[in-house]
Amino acid sequence: MTLDASKQIKFTMSDSDFERISELAYLYTGIVFITQKKDMVCRRLSRRLRELDLQTMEAYLPLIDDETKPEVSHFINAISTNLSIFFREPHHFNYLAKTICAQWKITSSTSKKIRVWSAGCSTGEEPYSISMIIKENLNDWDCDIIATDIDSKLIVKARHAVYDLESLGPDGLERKDRWFLSDKRKPGLVKIRSELQEMIEFKCLNLLDDWPTQENFDLIFCRNVAPYFNESSQKKLFDRFADVLNEGGFLVLGHSERL
């Protein structure tokens, strides 16, 4: 079958296919797909099936039935969520600027050193937004930001640090001249300034795997990630966050999430 022919296929997913894919998604990532997510999962995997020139969802399953198979990383990338804009849920960044940074000026004034983790960083808008707030409020401080995501393609884009103007959002646009570089040859794109890039280390990481960190954090952002895990995995995740937070540290969740 040719690639052109594969593009004409409208893929369907049987209940048994969805059950098996959900099992593998949970096994590899901890993400839980309820029945109502079946159509969404089918749409996301359909793009990958077309790239592989496959005709059915069933034909895809043997390619991902073992964690060592190379297709598994593409499978994880396909099912992951990556919606992001700069300063998404702006009240969190206002709180970081007005409350957290103000507290650090008191509690960490001697060391002037802080560590931040953006867990589930997608294409990088969140950690870069954090870096802007910290630079604006604690300019001469030593700040290390670790940014992680399960999707390796998103990490590559985050490191590249080039974004469409539409992704800046209103708070990003206000900071465009200060923190972004423009190129007249590419008017619709901007690039993060190097001083912000140097603050952040991007890594590919499954939150349910081991965490390769030697030092604790003063602030952890983990927004709109926990709902993809079941209750027991969420409890495990929050307990582990507590273990790596310094005393008096902050954990920021999405606006609809709770411990």
Side-chain angles (χ1 to χ4, degrees):
M1 188 177 76
T2 65
L3 181 60
D4 288 341
S6 71
K7 290 180 179 179
Q8 305 306 315
I9 295 177
K10 181 175 176 61
F11 292 98
T12 59
M13 180 181 289
S14 67
D15 290 341
S16 61
D17 289 343
F18 177 68
E19 182 177 351
R20 180 56 178 156
I21 287 170
S22 298
E23 290 174 354
L24 293 173
Y26 180 71
L27 176 65
Y28 299 149
T29 70
I31 292 174
V32 176
F33 287 126
I34 59 176
T35 304
Q36 289 82 351
K37 298 292 185 179
K38 178 180 173 182
D39 289 342
M40 180 200 73
V41 173
C42 184
R43 288 195 304 272
R44 291 185 177 178
L45 290 179
S46 292
R47 291 192 288 269
R48 183 60 185 160
L49 266 63
R50 292 188 178 95
E51 292 174 359
L52 295 172
D53 219 2
L54 297 176
Q55 299 184 51
T56 66
M57 199 67 65
E58 184 179 9
Y60 185 63
L61 293 176
L63 302 180
I64 58 172
D65 61 3
D66 187 287
E67 193 169 11
T68 62
K69 293 186 175 180
E71 180 57 29
V72 169
S73 62
H74 296 286
F75 170 64
I76 291 172
N77 290 348
I79 63 175
S80 301
T81 300
N82 50 54
L83 173 64
S84 189
I85 61 171
F86 284 88
F87 298 95
R88 181 183 180 191
E89 298 183 45
H91 52 283
H92 290 149
F93 297 98
N94 291 334
Y95 187 80
L96 172 58
K98 297 178 180 179
T99 302
I100 298 179
C101 284
Q103 179 169 316
W104 284 339
K105 288 178 181 179
I106 298 172
T107 59
S108 301
S109 59
T110 301
S111 67
K112 291 188 175 182
K113 181 177 181 178
I114 50 175
R115 276 173 55 82
V116 180
W117 182 8
S118 171
C121 68
S122 187
T123 47
E125 289 89 342
E126 178 180 274
Y128 285 128
S129 298
I130 294 171
S131 70
M132 293 176 202
I133 294 294
I134 291 175
K135 273 291 187 182
E136 290 167 3
N137 291 272
L138 306 168
N139 182 46
D140 59 340
W141 284 44
D142 180 7
C143 176
D144 292 327
I145 301 175
I146 308 298
T148 65
D149 199 278
I150 194 173
D151 190 330
S152 57
K153 290 182 179 178
L154 302 185
I155 291 297
V156 171
K157 178 174 173 56
R159 288 174 180 153
H160 193 49
V162 174
Y163 297 93
D164 294 329
L165 281 173
E166 290 78 5
S167 70
L168 266 60
D171 291 313
L173 283 173
E174 288 182 3
R175 294 170 165 87
K176 178 175 172 292
D177 292 338
R178 183 173 184 180
W179 297 121
F180 296 88
L181 297 173
S182 301
D183 187 337
K184 292 181 179 179
R185 296 168 298 179
K186 301 176 181 178
L189 299 176
V190 290
K191 183 175 177 63
I192 297 289
R193 289 187 177 272
S194 60
E195 62 185 292
L196 298 184
Q197 289 183 264
E198 292 167 359
M199 294 172 62
I200 305 172
E201 181 180 4
F202 289 98
K203 297 180 179 180
C204 191
L205 178 69
N206 184 337
L207 288 174
L208 298 187
D209 289 344
D210 293 335
W211 296 350
T213 179
Q214 302 299 319
E215 299 181 61
N216 284 3
F217 297 93
D218 302 289
L219 170 66
I220 297 175
F221 267 60
C222 185
R223 304 184 302 163
N224 309 304
V225 174
Y228 291 93
F229 300 144
N230 62 21
E231 187 172 343
S232 62
S233 295
Q234 287 184 31
K235 184 180 186 305
K236 179 181 178 182
L237 179 64
F238 292 141
D239 285 345
R240 294 177 74 191
F241 280 147
D243 290 339
V244 298
L245 268 176
N246 286 323
E247 184 176 353
F250 295 86
L251 172 64
V252 178
L253 305 177
H255 73 279
S256 62
E257 299 172 82
R258 62 183 178 85
L259 293 174

